[in-house]
Amino acid sequence: MQHARVLNSGKIQNEWTSIWHIQTEAFFLYSDMSQDRTILVCAKETPDTYSDLSFSGGSVQFSNPRPVLNAYDASALEEALVLSEAHGFRVHVVMIGPEKASETLRKALAMGADEATLLTDAPKDADSAVIAKILAAFVEQFGPDAVIMGRQSQDTDVGLAGGMLADHLQWPWTTNAIGIRFEQEAFWVKRQGDSAQEWIDSPMPCLITCSNNLNDPRIPTLKGIMASKKKPMHIVAIDSLPGGDALSTLAPSTTIESLTPMPERAAGELVEGDLETLVEALMKGLGSIPETGVGS
Amino acid sequence: MFNIHDPYLFEDELAEDDRMIMEAAREYCQANLEPRALRGNQDEIFDPEIPKEMADMGLLGASIAEEYGGGGASQTAYGLIAREVERVDSGYRSFMSVQSSLVMVPIEKFGTEEQKKQYLPKLASAEMIGCFGLTEPDHGSDPSSMVTRAVPTDGGWVLNGAKTWITNSPIADVAIVWAKVKEEEEDVIRGFIVETSWKGVSTPHIKDKMSLRASETGELVFQDVFVPETHMFPDIRGLKGPFTCLNSARYGIAWGTVGAAEFCYERSRTYVGERKQFGHPLAANQLPQTKLANMLTDITTMQLLAWRLGQLRDAGKVDPAMISLAKRHNVGKALDIARVARDMHGGNGVTGDYRVIHHVINLESVNTYEGTYDIHGLILGREITGIQAFVPKG
Ligand SMILES: Cc1cc2nc3c(=O)[nH]c(=O)nc-3n(C[C@H](O)[C@H](O)[C@H](O)COP(=O)(O)OP(=O)(O)OC[C@H]3O[C@@H](n4cnc5c(N)ncnc54)[C@H](O)[C@@H]3O)c2cc1C
């Protein structure tokens, strides 16, 4: 459906809009979607991994009890807002989470997103594969011009959801974005490799996953926070999405067997003494490095 | 799980708006103010960019009506902002309190429609900076005996006198000035909006302050200053005028000092966890542990007082004595906590890097301004006994 859409052509866009409305009658109505092209930002709420953490009974606790907006997704949102300011995109943020995640999602509205959807009642222990399937159903119904999201979440660092989502959608996917431009009806994505950067031309619709080096996400202002109360936030149960029954009962394909603190690094050995002793200790130390590790 | 930052989980009880404002203010203060705090204090720098940044964040006049450029937020939100700013430096909070509570509040509450339209949006955007002149060289705790006076003239008033200890005065564009006028043979205190660029106004800087060094403090001197009639507050008379403003600012201080105390407690907790003496972390000793326990207990009382006071202000159920109680208690406790924190840091406690002594020395001013610790004790004493003890009976 999306591929047939010709941008800037009022006729086709209107046609498309009417299809959209028919499809969504039983679902919910977005405000004035026909006017603009839309960037969809997928965002997740995560524990505040910058706060102190402790382990007990196989689970981890953070000293800040309140979850935060995943920093990588915040960068994706910041970039979407910058693109929106320059090119008039509408920015819609979607989050899968419990109802109380609406506070974190509201932060996205306070930063400047136009509209948000919270998809609730996700299957228990949803892993990346499950999340990607739910997001794919939402994206297919919603039909944005681009999806921009973090390359990973700051708590698990898994980084699979974006790629799996692109695969479901069969959209071009660009990873590790550190810069995004919109030119000649396409996204130009600067991506960071190990030792070089490349610019990739990504026609719409496309999916981009972002590095947190992309930008410095804005802090919501008081006015933004007050204005966010008036912006639409749709709370939608996953089973009301197209194919929702299957989605809401998806089983994770991976399970977490155990969760343990990072092993502490073994303490170094402090060698004291005269030069001879030091050299001797050094030679002994070098001798314990496996042959292959020493190089030629 | 026991939360060692918020033991009675008051942050969970906040309205969503207020909590979001708190978090945004925290993020701004930690990212933008904290890195400036040490040098700002040592070198007496109030970075001229700060007012604009705070304005862009919406932190100036947060609870002033939106139609005048304010944020339209709750009293609780205003207090939570003060807590975040003062977690960094009471000097920055002083700037914010004066602009918001002592300048914008009286204009909103007592000003004419023209005065509100002329000044509030510019104060909210930091295009103008304001100050508040009540204290005089010979009249501090007893402002009713002030000598600054306005006498009527054609089209307005002629103002003469001097105010001292005026936060922001050297950088201010506008001053709220309280002065005596004669009305039916009686001296009455009235409020004026005075622009510092007017003829006869000077604002000398007070040198060598050892506390709140990142906050500008000066005098306000008036020599035959013509103040147009349009710049007098039309209806408010007596000390109720300045005290309305002070109640708002004192409420902000009750919250602000929570932030300063939390900072000192946090730093001490980290320090004794890392610093080893006699082969063990200091935190493994009983004395540091009970010091931290006392700090957290006091911080919890401070948090709960400030939070409840905010609710009462939002519900319009506040009596000024409630504010005296919280201002006095919270500043006193913050000062105790800061001094103990200084001690727990040993020699490092006297360096700027750890910033606990910075809070000790700042809180000395906070204990004195906006009604000293003892004056608030006398306000409470009068409520409790029904006998005023400000004027000794001899
Ligand atoms: C950094 C700083 C910024 C300030 N900013 C402002 C400002 O912006 N605007 C403004 O108008 N003022 C400002 N002030 C002034 C401040 O409000 C006064 O310093 C304060 O009210 C105390 O007045 P005082 O200094 O004259 O002390 P005094 O009134 O002389 O008090 C000295 C001591 O005597 C005690 N005392 C006084 N009377 C009694 C009594 N009856 N019984 C028992 N004890 C008593 C006091 O508690 C205090 O311990 C500022 C002060 C400082 C230090």
Side-chain angles (χ1 to χ4, degrees), chain A residues 52 66 103 106 222 229, chain B residues 11 16-17 19 23 57:
Chain A
D52 299 340
R66 276 191 305 283
E103 185 167 330
R106 220 184 116 191
L222 195 146
K229 280 197 286 202
Chain B
E11 289 184 355
E16 188 174 283
D17 289 355
R19 192 164 42 234
E23 286 186 341
M57 280 299 298

Side-chain angles (χ1 to χ4, degrees), chain B residues 98 102 132-142 164-168 209 211-212 217 365 368-375 378 389-392:
Chain B
V98 168
L102 298 183
F132 175 90
L134 179 66
T135 305
E136 298 185 355
D138 295 327
H139 310 275
S141 296
D142 175 21
T164 191
W165 288 116
I166 307 306
T167 304
N168 295 354
K209 226 159 77 246
S211 169
L212 298 186
T217 316
S365 284
T368 289
Y369 70 25
E370 304 268 355
T372 67
Y373 185 87
D374 286 341
I375 290 293
L378 296 181
F390 299 98
V391 184

Side-chain angles (χ1 to χ4, degrees), chain B residues 255-317:
Chain B
W255 269 114
T257 47
V258 175
E262 287 169 336
F263 176 95
C264 293
Y265 156 75
E266 266 309 316
R267 282 284 161 111
S268 305
R269 187 179 76 86
T270 310
Y271 191 80
V272 297
E274 288 168 358
R275 172 86 177 161
K276 283 193 179 135
Q277 288 295 292
F278 301 99
H280 296 279
L282 289 174
N285 294 296
Q286 291 179 345
L287 286 175
Q289 287 204 2
T290 54
K291 281 176 186 166
L292 291 172
N294 291 343
M295 286 182 179
L296 186 59
T297 307
D298 285 341
I299 286 169
T300 308
T301 66
M302 294 166 70
Q303 289 171 337
L304 296 181
L305 268 186
W307 167 61
R308 176 64 186 150
L309 189 59
Q311 285 186 327
L312 289 166
R313 273 178 76 81
D314 280 321
K317 289 203 285 196

